[in-house]
Amino acid sequence: MNELLAALVRTAGADHVLTAPEDMAPFLTDWRGRYHGAALAVVKPSTTAQVAEVVSACAQAGVPIVPQGGNTGLCGGATPLADGRAVVLGLSRLDRIRALDADNDTLCVDAGCTLAAVQQAAAAAGRLFPLALASEGSCLIGGNLSTNAGGVQVLRYGNARELVLGLEVVLPDGRVWNGLRGLRKDNTGYDLKQLFIGAEGTLGVITAAVLKLFPAIRSRATAWVAVPDPRAAVRLLGLLRGDCGERVSAFEIVGRSALELVLKHIPSARNPFSQPARWAVLVELSDAAADIGLETMLQDVLSLAAEQGLVEDAVIAASLAQAQALWTLRESISEAQRIEGLSIKHDIAVPVSRIPEFLERAGAALRAVWPGVRIVAFGHIGDGNLHFNLSRPAAEDNAVFIERTPEANRIVHDLVATLGGSISAEHGLGQLKRDEILRYKSVVELDMMRAIKQAFDPRGLMNPGKLLDTERPGAGTDPDAWMT
Amino acid sequence: MNELLAALVRTAGADHVLTAPEDMAPFLTDWRGRYHGAALAVVKPSTTAQVAEVVSACAQAGVPIVPQGGNTGLCGGATPLADGRAVVLGLSRLDRIRALDADNDTLCVDAGCTLAAVQQAAAAAGRLFPLALASEGSCLIGGNLSTNAGGVQVLRYGNARELVLGLEVVLPDGRVWNGLRGLRKDNTGYDLKQLFIGAEGTLGVITAAVLKLFPAIRSRATAWVAVPDPRAAVRLLGLLRGDCGERVSAFEIVGRSALELVLKHIPSARNPFSQPARWAVLVELSDAAADIGLETMLQDVLSLAAEQGLVEDAVIAASLAQAQALWTLRESISEAQRIEGLSIKHDIAVPVSRIPEFLERAGAALRAVWPGVRIVAFGHIGDGNLHFNLSRPAAEDNAVFIERTPEANRIVHDLVATLGGSISAEHGLGQLKRDEILRYKSVVELDMMRAIKQAFDPRGLMNPGKLLDTERPGAGTDPDAWMT
């Protein structure tokens, strides 16, 4: 091991190889404090060549590697296991904006650029990079790609994997794959880049990417809409898409209990209606064209929807400040839940058409076995993706509540599977769902994934214990941290 | 072999197992007549279960399989090798539209549906399936996905691979992978579907797919624009994208020599200007919204571009018939080339920003070694994809012309590689470019692709001799057919 550490120091410099417990601590736990791992060292190279040297040295020593971006993940995918055998590979020093090609609408960046830095580089050239997340100031683009991040603009622009044209990857044997092509069309063999996107660092280390840019947005219209039920929300989405096309850029649902938590705990939150709607939808239209009359377009569709009984009330923001106030209602839900207390969270997707059925059946099944449980449902209904969370019943003890997590997961995830859905829509598997997923994937699908893992990383050195690797015990977990 | 044939007959029925030379003939050559292969039999199952039985029986007998859709490919990917060892698996009887989910904007179809049938099913539900190709009446969607087809709407909607949410695939061992999920978000492991898309049948047989639908188009504006040079065309594209956003749905360039061939050979073609422009661009804006003023929007951008010297002349179609007449100028180029005589064709892509440099350098290099050669350049410049073809000089013999193909390919493809491009933008590798591509892929990339092939099809039974498999001799080729 001393030999390996010496090699890492030669590569990255002594300042960037951390071994003291207090130096390593921030890298050994996730930001919510749920997972606590251990490591031989944390190494922070600054170039692709250095990453390749680090991976190569670890491969020679048979030491596992845990790639880590901004450490903002929600599933423990970047936290090393408790066995302390691995080296954590921090990517934050790979932070160059390599090239912006405005005529090609592409941006080539190091994996360690923050998402915000990527957005800013695009904006400086009058372009849009549409990936947007709550953690955008601290998450790194390499992590966004490794976890195929989602967010609120997926409806229009797709997930992270749809925003990538090319990748540079250090393979488990230390070789570098230069796939940094900025091409819209390339039919010369298997699509390798999509294998690494969403692979959570189990097949290699993404060190750079060529990203797609889009026209900057110059018009926007935002509305808060009360609908009678999720079925009406789905039909409203259909009307909007039919009349407004792809300029429907956000369609977020907020259940009454979620809104009530926001109004209770977030001082700046204001309900635009006199009563919290049983179900509200945040709608946003956006367009690259200026002065295209989006408010009128939105008003027309909402009036039509009201005539059809799909809309009970609606307010269209008359200013940027009003639009921001509406977004606050949606974006403060997680924070309000945290203040309220313990939650059991589910990040699920079903076909958009099955959302109403999911909400009805999941709610009924949970209430049948768990009287008093509060369901806090909200999310990206336009993508079929709900954050379907359970809040502790007032009378119940924290420990009792947490103990029921597996039972609640089973009810929710089994229903998701019945409806053809996914138990991890946007947060990934990491350590959190690596065991749970085995119940829902077919043998054929698991075999294919394991064959790919075997082909790329036969020694199992890349981020062991994550994604589908259930052979190793995970990091230690902290039940108290489940309240955040 | 008799045992295998008996098994195929038991599965598909005697009527659907062809062994007589005259019955097999249409399946053993590509539609242009370039490649001539041989086969043990042609089998045409009608369900996924039957496909699985066929693949399983062939696997047990160690007999290779050549999946074939509408047999409209341009690279010989669906033509069996000359060794006659394989069974051709025709997919045309898997032709059911399985399910349309309007609220989810998805369509589930058998692989053997024609692209036109898929488009029609979407249109019947008031939706758009945007993939559009010249061969749409006869090509099959399974083939479109296996070759990651492109076409004229990629600029707005992406290639075939971007239009897929889920797949059903029969694996080389005969097992069925049911990955028919209709989800916009699913972060539960490796993205398996993208491996099969564009794999040209070398990893498995696609038997069904869940496709994305889009809002129907209700407004359209079309213009034919004379620009001074390709550099101006690229800058015009930038202005259009900036002002009109994603509603720029086609941006096709047509060089003067291409237009002159159309005007010479296609009786219905009319040049909208008094002289053929040195370079013309066909622009189309489209929108799901009705009466959104697209003509005005297009006029405004063209006026601005004219002020900047980017546009020499322009005509905006005043009717559907006029728009169709402009599209005829673009879509008749291949036909006009065929009538004119022999061509050496290149289907290349470079970053959009490098298109002008590519045209200048490729033209200069070719003319330096080949005085009198005529360059017919046109294509999807908005995607960085050009069809860069050479027409036989008037004085030259056919045989002499064809003999120079490798030399011309070398000049064009080496330049493409220098500019970070692709030697097969949308037509694939098949047999045509399987050897050529080895010059341009890195060892690392080839190793990864071979590792995937090895993981999925270790015995090499799926479509041997195609894509990257250079170990086997190809089908026989017919030089006379190179003129089409």
Side-chain angles (χ1 to χ4, degrees):
Chain A
M1 283 315 113
N2 283 343
E3 222 172 281
L4 173 62
L5 288 176
L8 299 182
V9 167
R10 277 196 305 277
T11 293
D15 289 353
H16 306 296
V17 180
L18 317 178
T19 51
E22 64 275 20
D23 294 339
M24 291 204 290
F27 300 88
L28 304 183
T29 183
D30 63 316
W31 70 276
R32 293 198 292 190
R34 283 191 180 189
Y35 296 96
H36 301 280
L40 287 178
V42 175
V43 56
K44 300 171 73 178
S46 66
T47 65
T48 299
Q50 287 184 9
V51 173
E53 280 182 29
V54 167
V55 173
S56 183
C58 288
Q60 279 170 38
V63 166
I65 286 175
V66 180
Q68 191 176 96
N71 198 13
T72 60
L74 299 173
C75 299
T79 308
L81 302 182
D83 61 19
R85 290 181 54 238
V87 163
V88 173
L89 175 56
L91 275 303
S92 62
R93 295 179 66 230
L94 278 83
D95 60 355
R96 291 169 308 146
I97 300 288
R98 292 196 189 180
L100 189 143
D101 184 342
D103 284 339
N104 197 42
D105 274 326
T106 51
L107 178 62
C108 184
V109 299
D110 274 1
C113 292
T114 64
L115 175 53
V118 173
Q119 293 167 341
Q120 285 155 18
R127 300 292 190 281
L128 171 71
F129 182 67
L131 189 66
L133 303 172
S135 60
E136 60 200 26
S138 48
C139 64
L140 306 186
I141 188 70
N144 298 148
L145 301 184
S146 290
T147 58
N148 186 29
V152 292
Q153 300 206 80
V154 172
L155 181 60
R156 178 166 182 163
Y157 298 100
N159 295 285
R161 74 165 70 255
E162 292 166 270
L163 306 175
V164 178
L165 291 178
L167 288 183
E168 180 187 80
V169 177
V170 174
L171 300 178
D173 62 4
R175 292 193 298 171
V176 178
W177 173 49
N178 182 345
L180 288 175
R181 291 184 277 265
L183 302 175
R184 257 71 186 181
K185 287 183 172 173
D186 178 20
N187 275 348
T188 57
Y190 308 136
D191 188 356
L192 298 170
K193 66 180 181 298
Q194 294 298 349
L195 267 185
F196 296 100
I197 300 172
E200 303 187 20
T202 61
L203 299 179
V205 183
I206 296 175
T207 49
V210 178
L211 305 171
K212 290 185 199 172
L213 301 181
F214 294 79
I217 292 299
R218 294 190 297 168
S219 312
R220 217 180 283 273
T222 311
W224 187 262
V225 184
V227 297
D229 54 37
R231 217 166 291 274
V234 169
R235 289 184 53 204
L236 174 61
L237 176 64
L239 287 183
L240 279 163
R241 295 253 302 166
D243 277 7
C244 309
E246 293 94 325
R247 54 171 77 72
V248 184
S249 47
F251 195 85
E252 301 280 313
I253 198 164
V254 178
R256 180 160 60 195
S257 55
L259 182 58
E260 283 171 346
L261 288 182
V262 170
L263 297 172
K264 178 176 171 190
H265 294 296
I266 308 296
S268 65
R270 295 280 172 277
N271 184 14
F273 306 133
S274 54
Q275 294 291 321
R278 181 151 161 62
W279 293 97
V281 175
L282 179 66
V283 179
E284 190 172 89
L285 304 186
S286 64
D287 203 302
D291 309 319
I292 192 81
L294 291 186
E295 287 84 0
T296 308
M297 197 180 283
L298 185 50
Q299 181 66 61
D300 289 350
V301 177
L302 291 174
S303 300
L304 181 70
E307 286 167 24
Q308 298 181 14
L310 305 176
V311 165
E312 292 173 337
D313 203 351
V315 53
I316 297 181
S319 66
L320 273 180
Q322 283 185 16
Q324 192 45 57
L326 298 180
W327 272 105
T328 297
L329 296 175
R330 162 66 184 89
E331 291 182 334
S332 305
I333 298 172
S334 294
E335 172 70 1
Q337 280 194 287
R338 197 189 56 74
I339 298 170
E340 177 75 4
L342 278 187
S343 293
I344 299 171
K345 298 189 169 184
H346 301 103
D347 166 38
I348 66 96
V350 295
V352 176
S353 51
R354 312 301 290 271
I355 287 271
E357 183 182 353
F358 169 78
L359 285 167
E360 283 160 21
R361 290 175 63 178
L366 286 164
R367 278 186 286 261
V369 299
W370 202 344
V373 71
R374 287 182 297 170
I375 293 170
V376 180
F378 63 99
H380 319 294
I381 183 176
D383 311 314
N385 175 198
L386 289 181
H387 299 303
F388 185 81
N389 300 339
L390 309 182
S391 237
R392 187 174 59 83
E396 211 164 80
D397 187 76
N398 272 357
V400 172
F401 180 74
I402 288 175
E403 221 162 71
R404 296 193 73 167
T405 302
E407 183 192 353
N409 287 350
R410 180 57 50 93
I411 289 172
V412 172
H413 292 165
D414 278 5
L415 177 59
V416 163
T418 302
L419 298 177
S422 168
I423 68 161
S424 189
E426 55 176 12
H427 297 161
L429 297 175
Q431 303 185 46
L432 179 64
K433 295 182 184 169
R434 60 168 219 186
D435 298 303
E436 184 80 353
I437 193 67
L438 298 182
R439 180 174 169 86
Y440 302 105
K441 291 268 183 215
S442 68
V443 171
V444 172
E445 188 157 325
L446 287 170
D447 281 356
M448 283 199 285
M449 291 192 184
R450 287 178 181 137
I452 290 167
K453 173 72 174 177
Q454 182 66 24
F456 280 79
D457 181 26
R459 296 164 71 200
L461 294 180
M462 295 306 304
N463 210 5
K466 315 296 171 59
L467 206 72
L468 301 160
D469 176 10
T470 51
E471 285 174 24
R472 294 168 183 80
T477 60
D478 178 356
D480 287 345
W482 286 76
M483 64 193 311
T484 61
Chain B
M1 283 314 115
N2 284 343
E3 223 172 280
L4 173 62
L5 288 176
L8 299 182
V9 167
R10 276 196 305 277
T11 293
D15 287 355
H16 305 296
V17 180
L18 317 178
T19 51
E22 62 277 19
D23 295 338
M24 293 204 288
F27 300 89
L28 304 184
T29 184
D30 64 315
W31 72 275
R32 293 197 293 191
R34 284 192 179 187
Y35 295 97
H36 302 280
L40 285 178
V42 175
V43 56
K44 300 171 72 178
S46 67
T47 64
T48 299
Q50 287 185 10
V51 173
E53 281 181 30
V54 166
V55 172
S56 182
C58 288
Q60 278 169 38
V63 166
I65 286 175
V66 180
Q68 191 176 97
N71 199 14
T72 60
L74 298 174
C75 298
T79 307
L81 303 182
D83 61 19
R85 290 181 53 240
V87 164
V88 173
L89 175 56
L91 276 303
S92 62
R93 294 180 66 229
L94 279 82
D95 61 355
R96 290 170 307 145
I97 300 288
R98 292 197 188 179
L100 189 143
D101 183 342
D103 284 339
N104 196 43
D105 274 327
T106 51
L107 178 62
C108 183
V109 298
D110 274 1
C113 292
T114 63
L115 175 53
V118 173
Q119 294 167 340
Q120 284 155 18
R127 301 291 190 281
L128 172 71
F129 182 67
L131 190 65
L133 304 172
S135 59
E136 59 199 28
S138 48
C139 64
L140 306 186
I141 188 71
N144 298 148
L145 301 184
S146 291
T147 58
N148 185 29
V152 291
Q153 300 205 80
V154 171
L155 181 60
R156 177 166 183 163
Y157 298 100
N159 295 286
R161 72 165 72 254
E162 292 167 89
L163 305 176
V164 179
L165 291 178
L167 287 183
E168 179 186 81
V169 177
V170 174
L171 300 178
D173 62 4
R175 293 193 298 171
V176 179
W177 172 49
N178 181 345
L180 286 175
R181 290 184 277 265
L183 302 174
R184 256 72 186 180
K185 287 184 174 173
D186 178 22
N187 275 348
T188 57
Y190 308 136
D191 188 356
L192 299 170
K193 66 180 180 298
Q194 294 298 349
L195 268 186
F196 296 100
I197 300 172
E200 303 187 21
T202 61
L203 299 178
V205 183
I206 295 174
T207 50
V210 178
L211 305 171
K212 290 185 199 171
L213 300 181
F214 294 80
I217 292 298
R218 295 189 297 167
S219 313
R220 217 180 283 272
T222 311
W224 187 262
V225 184
V227 296
D229 53 36
R231 217 166 293 274
V234 168
R235 289 183 54 203
L236 174 61
L237 176 64
L239 287 182
L240 279 163
R241 295 253 301 167
D243 278 6
C244 308
E246 294 94 325
R247 55 172 76 73
V248 184
S249 48
F251 195 86
E252 301 280 313
I253 197 164
V254 178
R256 180 158 62 194
S257 55
L259 182 58
E260 283 172 345
L261 288 181
V262 169
L263 297 173
K264 177 177 171 189
H265 293 297
I266 309 295
S268 66
R270 294 281 172 277
N271 184 13
F273 307 132
S274 55
Q275 294 291 322
R278 181 151 161 62
W279 294 96
V281 175
L282 180 65
V283 179
E284 190 172 89
L285 305 185
S286 63
D287 203 302
D291 308 319
I292 193 80
L294 291 186
E295 287 83 1
T296 309
M297 196 179 285
L298 184 50
Q299 181 65 61
D300 289 350
V301 177
L302 292 175
S303 299
L304 181 70
E307 286 167 23
Q308 298 180 14
L310 305 176
V311 165
E312 292 174 336
D313 202 352
V315 54
I316 297 181
S319 66
L320 274 180
Q322 283 185 16
Q324 191 47 55
L326 298 179
W327 272 105
T328 296
L329 295 175
R330 163 64 183 88
E331 290 181 335
S332 306
I333 298 171
S334 293
E335 172 70 1
Q337 280 193 289
R338 196 189 58 74
I339 298 170
E340 177 75 4
L342 277 187
S343 293
I344 299 171
K345 299 189 171 186
H346 302 103
D347 166 39
I348 65 96
V350 294
V352 176
S353 51
R354 313 300 290 272
I355 288 270
E357 182 181 354
F358 168 78
L359 286 167
E360 283 160 21
R361 290 175 63 178
L366 286 165
R367 278 187 284 261
V369 299
W370 202 344
V373 71
R374 288 182 296 169
I375 292 170
V376 180
F378 63 99
H380 319 295
I381 182 176
D383 312 313
N385 175 199
L386 288 182
H387 299 303
F388 185 81
N389 301 339
L390 309 183
S391 238
R392 186 173 58 84
E396 212 164 78
D397 185 77
N398 272 357
V400 172
F401 180 74
I402 289 176
E403 221 162 71
R404 296 193 73 168
T405 301
E407 182 191 355
N409 288 349
R410 180 59 49 92
I411 290 171
V412 172
H413 291 166
D414 278 5
L415 177 59
V416 163
T418 302
L419 299 177
S422 168
I423 68 162
S424 189
E426 55 177 13
H427 296 162
L429 297 174
Q431 303 184 47
L432 180 64
K433 295 182 184 169
R434 59 167 219 188
D435 298 303
E436 184 80 353
I437 194 66
L438 298 183
R439 180 175 170 85
Y440 302 105
K441 292 267 183 216
S442 68
V443 171
V444 172
E445 188 158 325
L446 289 169
D447 281 357
M448 284 199 285
M449 290 191 184
R450 287 178 181 138
I452 290 167
K453 173 72 174 177
Q454 182 67 25
F456 278 79
D457 181 26
R459 297 164 70 200
L461 294 179
M462 296 305 305
N463 210 5
K466 316 295 170 61
L467 206 72
L468 302 159
D469 176 10
T470 50
E471 285 175 25
R472 296 169 183 78
T477 58
D478 179 355
D480 287 344
W482 287 75
M483 64 195 307
T484 61

